[in-house]
Amino acid sequence: MSKKRVLITGAAGFLGSHLCDRFIKEGFHVVGMDNLITGDLRNIEHLFKKEEFEFYHHDVSKFIHVPGELHYILHFASPASPIDYLKIPIQTLKVGSLGTHNCLGLAKAKNARILVASTSEIYGDPMVHPQNEEYWGNVNPVGPRGVYDEAKRFQEAMTMAYHTFHGVETRIVRIFNTYGPRMRLNDGRALPAFIGQALRGEDLTVFGDGSQTRSFCYVDDLIEGIYRLLMSDCAQPVNVGNPDEISLKDFAEEIIALTGTTQKIVYKPLPVDDPKQRQPDITRAKEILGWSPKVSRKDGLKVTYEYFKALPKEEWFKQPKEFATKK
Ligand SMILES: NC(=O)c1ccc[n+]([C@@H]2O[C@H](COP(=O)([O-])OP(=O)(O)OC[C@H]3O[C@@H](n4cnc5c(N)ncnc54)[C@H](O)[C@@H]3O)[C@@H](O)[C@H]2O)c1
């Protein structure tokens, strides 16, 4: 019997590359697609020699053509860290809107089931804690982060419309902060930023007074949740994340203990619209998918730290990516 074919957009990124690995392991033929704007081919280099993997260098905000059958589509292409989407706001809005529309059109044409990567950012700076899927969010559409948050909210609306009006089988995962190997040290998110500073022997920068909270999910747990959601019959959005919440100040202290750095914590002003609290309510994922995270922060951080430590030293000092295009 021939293998089922899955298209993964954003395949060369952090999460996309882990998804490619998982679907190959599950016996699928994987079609990866990426324009490499924030991704890195090194994340999927090991897959190029496999017959069951093919790759298209393509911008999904433009019309997508994939020959042959497709059974599943996972739409993960999008700049994901604030340091990226603040520099390329238009592309971020385009990939969440036009890119999603193109993926949904492809799903309809191929009669494929599609899962789109949404985010806890659709809850904005939440007034409800922890956030469950019934909460509509508190987003500033014209604030700097609006380009990402609103693109993802539009993505959800468009996905639901394709489900309701065209009968496309759709799944929406609302991903909360996830970490693990293949993240970029310089992507501006708290976890790689702290580890990068510790590796370089710099002080760890906490924004605000550090009382704002985050909940970090290890990548293997997230991928398991996504896989289960895709295979479920749930068209409603599902939160996938780790509810183990920690303040950024305490988290910085955990990183200091983990890395053994002698540096201290320094405080800087809080960026505009930075969410104060983040914790997923995962009741729905537990009930519908039988899913809950298994990897403790202690274990996940250890693996992630070892990954960053083993990178060539010049990677520790690499500046954040600059982008040539404004469109
Ligand atoms: N990592 C997280 O904690 C997190 C949390 C919530 C949601 N998400 C979502 O998961 C997805 C992947 O995030 P990530 O952390 O792996 O980010 P990433 O930047 O590592 O990966 C995104 C990938 O998408 C590609 N891409 C961007 N625009 C594209 C376009 N127009 N055409 C083709 N490829 C394009 C990039 O080159 C990159 O390889 C994103 O949709 C993001 O919004 C991630």
Side-chain angles (χ1 to χ4, degrees):
M1 208 178 71
S2 63
K3 288 178 183 286
K4 294 231 161 156
R5 297 178 86 231
V6 53
L7 169 68
I8 299 177
T9 76
F14 164 46
L15 298 182
S17 64
H18 284 281
L19 283 170
C20 290
D21 287 343
R22 174 67 188 258
F23 279 85
I24 293 224
K25 206 170 129 208
E26 295 287 343
F28 286 81
H29 180 95
V30 173
V31 182
M33 187 172 283
D34 205 295
N35 68 351
L36 303 179
I37 192 158
T38 60
D40 193 327
L41 276 183
R42 284 178 297 180
N43 290 334
I44 47 172
E45 212 169 20
H46 58 288
L47 297 177
F48 279 87
K49 55 182 178 293
K50 292 189 183 285
E51 246 177 47
E52 57 273 37
F53 182 73
E54 60 187 298
F55 181 75
Y56 289 82
H57 186 188
H58 181 69
D59 178 350
V60 300
S61 299
K62 305 204 166 108
F63 179 78
I64 305 173
H65 173 69
V66 176
E69 283 188 297
L70 280 179
H71 300 89
Y72 298 101
I73 298 174
L74 291 105
H75 179 36
F76 275 67
S78 170
S81 74
I83 209 167
D84 291 332
Y85 61 69
L86 295 177
K87 283 185 201 156
I88 42 173
I90 314 284
Q91 287 97 326
T92 303
L93 282 157
K94 281 169 82 173
V95 75
S97 53
L98 306 178
T100 300
H101 189 212
N102 288 333
C103 289
L104 286 163
L106 186 66
K108 180 168 171 273
K110 301 278 187 188
N111 206 12
R113 182 180 297 176
I114 177 168
L115 180 146
V116 298
S118 187
T119 166
S120 55
E121 303 290 338
I122 65 111
Y123 299 122
D125 191 2
M127 316 287 272
V128 164
H129 193 74
Q131 297 82 52
N132 67 31
E133 293 87 346
E134 303 303 321
Y135 178 51
W136 294 351
N138 176 36
V139 170
N140 175 4
V142 293
R145 301 170 74 105
V147 296
Y148 182 68
D149 305 0
E150 295 295 4
K152 291 291 186 179
R153 290 169 70 93
F154 178 88
Q155 176 182 63
E156 289 200 8
M158 178 69 104
T159 300
M160 203 42 88
Y162 262 69
H163 177 66
T164 312
F165 293 100
H166 290 310
V168 172
E169 285 192 44
T170 58
R171 307 286 178 265
I172 299 171
V173 60
R174 289 185 181 155
I175 302 169
F176 283 65
N177 284 349
T178 300
Y179 70 99
R182 301 188 195 148
M183 280 188 108
R184 278 171 295 140
L185 260 187
N186 56 13
D187 82 357
R189 291 184 252 199
L191 186 150
F194 288 160
I195 295 185
Q197 288 173 322
L199 284 171
R200 293 189 297 272
E202 297 168 3
D203 290 336
L204 276 64
T205 313
V206 167
F207 295 100
D209 62 3
S211 62
Q212 68 275 36
T213 65
R214 295 292 182 268
S215 329
F216 299 103
C217 183
Y218 188 64
V219 63
D220 289 358
D221 280 334
L222 179 87
I223 299 295
E224 178 63 30
I226 290 171
Y227 191 81
R228 288 189 191 199
L229 175 59
L230 181 69
M231 298 309 165
S232 79
D233 57 7
C234 178
Q236 292 303 311
V238 179
N239 287 341
V240 178
N242 192 324
D244 186 6
E245 188 182 9
I246 186 169
S247 75
L248 280 183
K249 180 175 179 296
D250 290 348
F251 185 57
E253 273 157 12
E254 275 191 9
I255 300 288
I256 288 175
L258 169 75
T259 58
T261 176
T262 52
Q263 304 298 129
K264 56 184 192 310
I265 299 176
V266 292
Y267 294 89
K268 285 200 178 158
L270 206 58
V272 181
D273 298 336
D274 197 47
K276 287 176 223 29
Q277 275 187 318
R278 248 326 135 59
Q279 188 193 32
D281 178 333
I282 56 166
T283 310
R284 187 177 285 178
K286 277 185 181 159
E287 283 174 6
I288 297 180
L289 312 177
W291 176 89
S292 56
K294 299 279 175 283
V295 182
S296 67
R297 200 169 51 243
K298 189 160 179 266
D299 291 344
L301 277 179
K302 223 168 131 207
V303 178
T304 310
Y305 175 54
E306 291 306 324
Y307 167 80
F308 284 133
K309 209 165 73 172
L311 290 176
K313 258 198 180 159
E314 56 268 25
E315 292 284 329
W316 300 357
F317 292 89
K318 226 169 156 183
Q319 290 303 306
K321 202 162 173 163
E322 289 304 328
F323 301 95
T325 162
K326 279 193 178 303
K327 279 187 280 173

